[in-house]
Amino acid sequence: MGYAIGFVLFALGITASVALHECGHMWAAQATGMKVRRYFIGFGPKVFSWRRGETEYGLKALPLGGFCDIAGMTALDELEPEELDRAMYRQATWKRLLVMSGGILMNFLIGFVLIVVLAVGWGLPRLDTPPAVISKLTCVSDTTPDGGTKDCTGSGPAEAAGLRPGDKVTAVNGVKIKDWDDFTKETQKQTGTFTYTVDRDGQTLDLPITPQMAVTYDKDGKSKTVAKVGVQRDLYGPVKYGVLAAIPASGAFTGHFAVLTVESLAKMPSKVVNLWHAVTGGDRDPETPVSVYGASRIGGETAEKGLWSAFILTLASLNFFLGAFNLLPLLPLDGGHIAVVLFEKLRNLFRNRKGLPDGAPVDYMKLLPATYVVVVIGGAYMVLTLVADIVNPIKLFH
């Protein structure tokens, strides 16, 4: 039941994000004096609609997106005589750019608001890695394939070497380290007695230690034998903020998300092979893109486990991705229309410097072949992603 509720809620969250994306275009157009003829959620047959002012609002049968019909988005649009002066393609460049970027900005705003909610309600995940500060001394145990540990007794090498809780390790066998990841990596590669350099209450100590070899497993499930010393670190959990403090903290976190989003966009073409591998029976790479259905599955799984913070974070990341994806300078994406507007502006500037009048609006008919290529490739990619999510979905919990 929890899974079904989470699935439906996440799907509704995606629908709301798309609806608000189109609202971003609509509100910007209305604010700049353009005529919005229709605003609909979904595609296909009309379920119902109503008119308010000059705009028809409504719902269509297939909730797979939405659209905002602005009079004269291109010079190809058929216009009524009274719409001519308000046609979008005849407006000032800044107005057209504002309208075309309105949906993108709305997705970024939704993502940011969700991050603020996360910061106040559950806390933001830490972006830095934990410091190499020892919290607890334990015995050394082997790891099981599912990520657990076997039982062990007695003291471990770290306790025998004189390490104490609160010690900060600054070097492993002479190699300087910055954080717990460095500490683990350098420790595991040792094969005999080595030295920890630690900071204990401002005093620097060199402590020789003889590790114990233990079995562990990598992310692919392959076993290996590494050196362990029997230490643990403090839980490095999320940080909660008050409402005011959450805003700058969420801004910094959003900046980190922006970098990850750009990186994921750059990797999309290379993920085709991984998706095909998943469809044909191979293991599903957890870093491959997901469809709306796949994202909703993830939302259902996190809700079922009560991990509402992960639910919100996933929905926020989806909005950041949608906003960034729409920035790509490819038609029919918003970024493609923005590129056309900027091209017309630059072209007219050069023409005006030569004493020539502004050129005619870009002929979208000449851009149709390139648009079709983007639509076909993008559609095929979406189908491949959907099939992968159906036959071999990403599973967060095993």
Side-chain angles (χ1 to χ4, degrees), residues 120-278:
V120 175
W122 291 269
L124 294 178
R126 294 178 184 265
L127 301 179
D128 57 334
T129 54
V133 176
I134 295 170
S135 172
K136 184 179 180 182
L137 303 173
T138 67
C139 54
V140 171
S141 61
D142 291 330
T143 303
T144 58
D146 62 359
T149 56
K150 296 182 178 179
D151 293 335
C152 64
T153 58
S155 60
E159 186 173 354
L163 270 77
R164 301 177 185 173
D167 284 349
K168 180 178 181 180
V169 181
T170 59
V172 178
N173 215 30
V175 178
K176 292 184 178 180
I177 61 172
K178 297 182 298 182
D179 50 40
W180 190 268
D181 289 346
D182 289 347
F183 168 78
T184 302
K185 178 181 177 181
E186 292 299 324
T187 297
Q188 289 186 347
K189 68 171 60 173
Q190 306 301 320
T191 57
T193 301
F194 65 100
T195 301
Y196 278 142
T197 301
V198 303
D199 181 346
R200 179 181 295 167
D201 298 328
Q203 182 181 6
T204 300
L205 303 173
D206 290 321
L207 301 176
I209 185 170
T210 302
Q212 182 177 330
M213 306 310 290
V215 176
T216 188
Y217 293 83
D218 60 21
K219 62 180 182 180
D220 297 321
K222 296 180 180 179
S223 65
K224 58 180 179 179
T225 302
V226 299
K228 290 188 176 182
V229 297
V231 293
Q232 293 180 358
R233 61 177 173 84
D234 282 329
L235 292 177
Y236 207 61
V239 179
K240 293 183 69 173
Y241 297 87
V243 176
L244 294 179
I247 295 175
S250 298
F253 192 84
T254 299
H256 173 73
F257 239 132
V259 174
L260 295 179
T261 301
V262 172
E263 291 177 349
S264 66
L265 277 174
K267 293 177 182 178
M268 278 187 67
S270 66
K271 295 299 182 180
V272 172
V273 175
N274 303 69
L275 285 169
W276 182 255
H277 180 67

Side-chain angles (χ1 to χ4, degrees), residues 55-102:
T55 305
E56 180 186 10
Y57 301 87
L59 176 70
K60 290 183 176 285
L62 301 176
L64 302 176
F67 65 91
C68 174
D69 177 17
I70 304 171
M73 286 189 66
T74 73
L76 299 177
D77 286 358
E78 294 184 4
L79 298 170
E80 299 294 334
E82 66 272 11
E83 295 176 337
L84 189 60
D85 290 339
R86 300 174 65 191
M88 180 173 170
Y89 75 89
R90 301 186 65 180
Q91 304 304 308
T93 299
W94 72 269
K95 291 183 179 181
R96 297 169 66 190
L97 290 176
L98 179 62
V99 172
M100 296 315 305
S101 61

